């Protein structure tokens, strides 16, 4: 005799994730529409993306190019879906990204940005991009070092088929709200500096916060949180 909502249907976890975001915004004293939800669907089947779309979700994030292209083909009837590429990007894989995505969050060097701009089809609006910052200075992690963000941003802002929207980071895991907030605060500060440096650029996006640190990111001004596990459940180990 149980009437507990089972997570088999996405409805429950999706509502929970949205409520969690709304509560975090309220607790931070921010407007309820102050941050958007990016559903990170890597490793999850197209059928789950379709289910989330039916629940009203429109923005989806993918990490692996071939997997993403396969799912996009399967979901091509969902005309208003917005695809974000959030994974590491090699320079020989930029063309399909330029052709099939609306956003790229993981720009960390000029060469990638130049190729995306050159390869963005004429009939599409400019590709929205965020610079990925290695905000915790981790040796083996992708992302431009904080000291180099300004120079990269200045160069990217001149590329005709890109629109520089902001910054993204995946901080080193930390325990507790105080420790989690520090790198997010640093990323926000970097964005503020870029905004005064590049007043013409549409720098309105702080892509930060995942399932484990959403609240800290919202407290520090995140405008786009990237939730995978909290919406779709744990990802398989293999
Ligand atoms: C996988 C991934 C996420 C989502 O992580 P969860 O912890 O499952 O919410 C967010 N951002 C990036 C860049 C990712 O690769």
């Amino acid at each position: 005799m149980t009437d507990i909502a089972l997570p088999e249907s996405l409805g429950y976890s999706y509502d929970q994730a949205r409520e969690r975001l709304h509560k975090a915004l309220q607790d931070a004293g921010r407007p309820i529409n102050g941050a958007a939800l990016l559903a990170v669907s890597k490793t999850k089947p197209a059928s789950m993306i379709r289910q989330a779309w039916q629940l009203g979700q429109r923005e989806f994030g993918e990490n692996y190019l071939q997997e993403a292209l396969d799912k996009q083909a399967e979901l091509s009837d969902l005309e208003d879906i917005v695809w974000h590429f959030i994974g590491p990007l090699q320079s020989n894989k930029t063309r399909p990204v330029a052709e099939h995505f609306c956003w790229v969050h993981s720009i960390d060097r000029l060469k990638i940005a130049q190729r995306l701009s050159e390869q963005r089809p004429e009939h599409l609006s400019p590709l929205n991009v965020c610079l990925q910052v290695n905000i915790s200075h981790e040796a083996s992690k992708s992302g431009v070092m904080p000291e180099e963000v300004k120079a990269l941003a200045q160069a990217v802002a001149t590329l005709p088929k890109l629109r520089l929207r902001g910054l993204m980071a995946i901080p080193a895991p930390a325990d507790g709200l105080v420790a989690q907030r520090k790198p997010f605060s640093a990323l926000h500060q970097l964005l503020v500096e870029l905004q005064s440096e590049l007043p013409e650029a549409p720098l309105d996006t702080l892509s930060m916060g995942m399932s484990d640190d959403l609240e800290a990111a919202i407290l520090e001004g995140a405008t786009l949180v990237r939730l995978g596990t909290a919406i779709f459940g744990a990802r398989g180990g293999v």
Side-chain angles (χ1 to χ4, degrees), residues 40 42 63-64 86-88 105 132 168-170 209-212 226-231 233 235:
V40 176
K42 63 178 177 224
N63 291 59
Y64 310 111
I86 64 174
H105 293 225
Q132 181 174 353
M168 182 274 243
I170 310 170
M210 319 201 307
S211 296
D212 286 334
R226 309 181 308 270
L227 295 188
T229 310
I231 296 176
R235 290 177 291 275

Side-chain angles (χ1 to χ4, degrees), residues 108-200:
D108 62 1
R109 51 195 194 279
L110 183 58
K111 184 181 172 197
I112 298 278
Q114 284 168 332
R115 290 177 65 94
L116 288 170
S117 182
E118 282 160 17
Q119 294 167 346
R120 182 69 168 170
E122 265 313 310
H123 69 279
L124 295 180
S125 56
L127 184 64
N128 297 290
V129 300
C130 291
L131 307 183
Q132 181 174 353
V133 183
N134 186 347
I135 198 69
S136 305
H137 283 96
E138 292 173 280
S140 62
K141 285 291 172 66
S142 35
V144 59
M145 285 298 175
E147 303 73 33
E148 291 155 12
V149 168
K150 208 170 279 180
L152 180 58
Q154 281 165 341
V156 170
T158 67
L159 297 172
K161 288 296 276 181
L162 300 188
R163 193 182 283 147
L164 180 59
R165 297 295 296 272
L167 301 175
M168 182 274 243
I170 310 170
D175 282 331
L177 204 57
V178 174
Q180 287 180 349
R181 288 179 68 165
K182 278 191 186 136
F184 293 141
S185 166
L187 195 72
H188 191 165
Q189 186 54 40
L190 275 178
L191 184 71
V192 169
E193 288 167 23
L194 284 189
Q195 284 167 336
S196 69
E197 192 85 10
L198 296 165
E200 313 278 273

Side-chain angles (χ1 to χ4, degrees), residues 75-94:
L75 298 166
S76 59
D77 58 311
L78 308 182
E79 284 172 8
D80 58 354
I81 200 165
V82 180
W83 293 102
H84 296 237
F85 191 81
I86 64 174
L89 186 49
Q90 296 162 350
S91 60
N92 62 344
K93 300 271 179 68
T94 50

Side-chain angles (χ1 to χ4, degrees), residues 34-84:
L37 181 56
L38 179 62
V40 176
S41 44
K42 63 178 177 224
T43 80
K44 300 295 179 180
S47 58
M48 286 183 96
I49 298 176
R50 186 179 294 278
Q51 222 186 325
W53 182 88
Q54 283 162 349
L55 294 165
Q57 180 65 27
R58 290 295 176 271
E59 318 259 335
F60 291 87
E62 288 282 341
N63 291 59
Y64 310 111
L65 182 57
Q66 193 52 53
E67 178 196 330
L69 296 174
D70 291 346
K71 288 190 268 187
Q72 288 177 347
E74 230 178 296
L75 298 166
S76 59
D77 58 311
L78 308 182
E79 284 172 8
D80 58 354
I81 200 165
V82 180
W83 293 102
H84 296 237

